[in-house]
Amino acid sequence: MELSKKDARRLFLSRQGLLRKDQSGRGKNAVKKIVDQISWVQIDTISVVERAHHHVLRTRVSNYDPVMLHRLQVRDRHLFEYWSHAAAYLPISDYRYYLPVMHGSSKKRVPDKKIAPEIMRRIEYEGPLQSRDFESSLGRSSKGWWDWKPAKVALEYLYLAGELMVSHRDGFRKVYDLRERVLPDHIDTSMPADIEWCEFIVNRMIGAHGFASEYDIGYARNAILQLTNRNIKKLLGQALDNLLEDNRICKLEIEGLPYFTHPDTLSELPLRLGRRLVHILSPFDNVTINRRRMLQLFDFDYQLECYVPAPKRRYGYFCLPILYGDALIGRLDAKAERKIDHLEIRNLVMEDKVKINDNLIAALKLGLLRFSEDNKCKSISVLKTIPKSLKKILTQELAC
């Protein structure tokens, strides 16, 4: 089967909840539906604008509030925190498929044989605790994020091994509790066989994106290898062969490149856009995190430049991809100055092929105003744009 790049983009964005406004609805139930569909929402510490997990969800649910995420994790226990390719919120229904990673992590060397049992004992009797609760009794204070005290290292080991779970967060700090006090009783905790686990990885990736290449499917391998010292490339290949043989997946070509999809997926086509809206995406969004897929589907060569030395940056420290309808049209480097409720647009760069017209200006204005409001900013300034003429136009439009 063959699929055009345009149809592929629309299928991908539809599965990611971005083809139309509030595609999954509004409110807390829509947030749950989104996480169930896209399979994970990355957690990240950078707060130049809104943190990644809130940014990703607000892009898809227009009335999103962080309280919704908190309730889904803490009160309803529909979500849990663990590692996919990075730290993430995950559907609790997927819990058993992370047991192989937990089991592999538990085989790694215990950081301190005396500290880990003491941590478990204290949490059992005192209730949920965070790393700073152990500072005086178990370890020296940290000199920075790269120099964790022994108690924090042990807490993270117990968390990755599945002995502890994140009960909730206090601000942005993890609060840990015993697994049996966090995990709902109805959740299946049977260890999946290796091939069942890898078939889950394949099906989850295809389901969340509509289609996936071998590279996409192997995207989680690095995290698994890092956490467990286990390379599952051969197992994933076997899972692909099994699913193809049983016709549970089939092959697909998108402009000559090979992908896999589910047999009934293409029945969703053709997909129509709703009103063309501008969305400012997080660099850690599920749409943007796989840079190779961005380049293949959107012809958009993207790099997050906060990891690039300042003199070598082309666009800015924290440049955000701009989605307009089904196309990535530019990047925005912005900072939310929260003390003065102000959004500073440091650099806005449009792709060379993009035509600036009235419809785009109107959509860009609404997208920037919504982004400013989402970041609790009441004013916006525009310092630099490419093309240069866009600065004057946006400054006037945003002042209205």
Side-chain angles (χ1 to χ4, degrees):
M1 291 184 291
E2 294 182 7
L3 196 62
S4 70
K5 192 175 283 189
K6 178 181 178 181
D7 281 339
R9 285 198 301 267
R10 292 191 176 188
L11 177 58
F12 174 49
L13 292 171
S14 177
R15 288 297 180 93
Q16 285 291 312
L18 285 171
L19 196 64
R20 294 179 296 278
K21 182 180 179 181
D22 288 330
Q23 191 173 308
S24 298
R26 288 161 58 84
K28 187 185 70 169
N29 289 339
V31 174
K32 178 183 180 300
K33 191 183 297 185
I34 284 291
V35 182
D36 285 343
Q37 171 56 35
I38 68 177
S39 84
W40 48 265
V41 174
Q42 183 168 331
I43 302 168
D44 196 81
T45 59
I46 299 176
S47 58
V48 176
V49 290
E50 182 62 277
R51 293 192 191 275
H53 42 293
H54 298 315
H55 189 162
V56 168
L57 292 170
R58 187 172 281 116
T59 302
R60 291 159 172 80
V61 181
S62 62
N63 68 336
Y64 170 81
D65 187 288
V67 172
M68 297 174 186
L69 184 63
H70 179 79
R71 287 176 178 171
L72 285 169
Q73 180 187 19
V74 177
R75 188 184 69 182
D76 303 338
R77 297 299 184 196
H78 288 317
L79 307 178
F80 75 106
E81 285 191 37
Y82 197 65
W83 277 76
S84 53
H85 71 290
Y89 288 104
L90 305 158
I92 197 72
S93 56
D94 289 352
Y95 179 83
R96 70 183 289 257
Y97 295 103
Y98 290 88
L99 289 172
V101 181
M102 296 176 190
H103 180 68
S105 297
S106 70
K107 292 182 177 180
K108 300 186 82 171
R109 187 174 63 85
V110 181
D112 190 307
K113 292 183 179 180
K114 294 180 180 179
I115 288 180
E118 175 63 13
I119 285 174
M120 294 294 290
R121 186 194 66 79
R122 281 193 58 187
I123 291 177
E124 179 181 1
Y125 289 103
E126 297 178 34
L129 297 173
Q130 49 188 299
S131 61
R132 65 183 179 187
D133 294 317
F134 296 92
E135 286 182 3
S136 58
S137 60
L138 290 177
R140 55 191 171 82
S141 60
S142 174
K143 296 178 182 177
W145 66 266
W146 64 90
D147 186 26
W148 282 4
K149 55 185 179 290
K152 188 164 185 176
V153 173
L155 276 167
E156 198 67 8
Y157 166 81
L158 292 166
Y159 157 67
L160 291 174
E163 298 296 321
L164 297 176
M165 292 183 71
V166 176
S167 167
H168 60 283
R169 284 184 179 250
D170 180 8
F172 197 65
R173 293 175 180 269
K174 293 178 184 173
V175 182
Y176 301 89
D177 202 354
L178 302 180
R179 177 177 56 190
E180 56 266 29
R181 293 204 294 237
V182 176
L183 192 66
D185 294 337
H186 68 274
I187 296 300
D188 185 355
T189 57
S190 59
M191 179 71 72
D194 281 351
I195 196 65
E196 182 189 6
W197 172 43
C198 288
E199 286 181 3
F200 164 81
I201 293 172
V202 171
N203 280 318
R204 236 353 189 150
M205 183 63 73
I206 292 174
H209 302 97
F211 51 86
S213 66
E214 284 196 54
Y215 175 82
D216 299 334
I217 290 164
Y219 197 68
R221 282 206 313 263
N222 288 340
I224 292 168
L225 181 62
Q226 181 182 0
L227 293 173
T228 67
N229 293 328
R230 186 178 184 191
N231 192 336
I232 63 167
K233 183 177 181 179
K234 186 176 179 180
L235 277 169
L236 284 173
Q238 184 183 340
L240 278 169
D241 290 342
N242 289 355
L243 292 168
L244 283 167
E245 186 176 345
D246 296 341
N247 295 317
R248 285 179 282 166
I249 64 172
C250 57
K251 293 184 178 180
L252 174 70
E253 269 195 13
I254 301 173
E255 297 199 353
L257 294 176
Y259 291 86
F260 302 93
T261 189
H262 290 130
D264 60 346
T265 295
L266 298 188
S267 65
E268 299 173 27
L269 298 170
L271 287 162
R272 295 184 178 180
L273 277 172
R275 180 185 175 191
R276 286 186 183 269
L277 299 173
V278 162
H279 293 294
I280 312 298
L281 301 181
S282 167
F284 307 105
D285 194 291
N286 302 43
V287 169
T288 63
I289 195 66
N290 185 336
R291 316 299 194 214
R292 181 186 293 190
R293 188 169 54 215
M294 287 178 77
L295 184 57
Q296 289 174 344
L297 288 183
F298 296 92
D299 301 313
F300 193 79
D301 190 4
Y302 176 69
Q303 181 181 21
L304 179 56
E305 295 186 333
C306 61
Y307 305 120
V308 175
K312 295 184 179 181
R313 290 176 193 148
R314 295 180 60 195
Y315 303 106
Y317 176 80
F318 200 63
C319 58
L320 313 172
I322 303 172
L323 179 69
Y324 179 45
D326 59 359
L328 289 169
I329 62 166
R331 30 205 119 207
L332 170 74
D333 181 40
K335 180 174 176 58
E337 301 286 359
R338 293 181 178 85
K339 291 182 180 180
I340 56 174
D341 300 330
H342 181 74
L343 181 71
E344 185 177 77
I345 296 175
R346 296 177 169 180
N347 196 17
L348 192 158
V349 181
M350 306 300 287
E351 294 287 278
D352 292 338
K353 61 187 176 183
V354 174
K355 294 181 179 180
I356 310 296
N357 55 37
D358 291 344
N359 289 336
L360 175 57
I361 293 296
L364 193 54
K365 173 185 176 179
L366 288 176
L368 290 171
L369 288 173
R370 187 171 63 250
F371 184 67
S372 178
E373 182 180 341
D374 290 344
N375 281 278
K376 299 180 175 58
C377 294
K378 297 176 182 177
S379 60
I380 309 176
S381 60
V382 183
L383 303 187
K384 181 183 176 183
T385 67
I386 297 176
K388 292 181 179 179
S389 58
L390 192 57
K391 176 180 175 180
K392 182 178 180 181
I393 295 171
L394 284 179
T395 300
Q396 291 174 344
E397 289 290 329
L398 294 170
C400 295

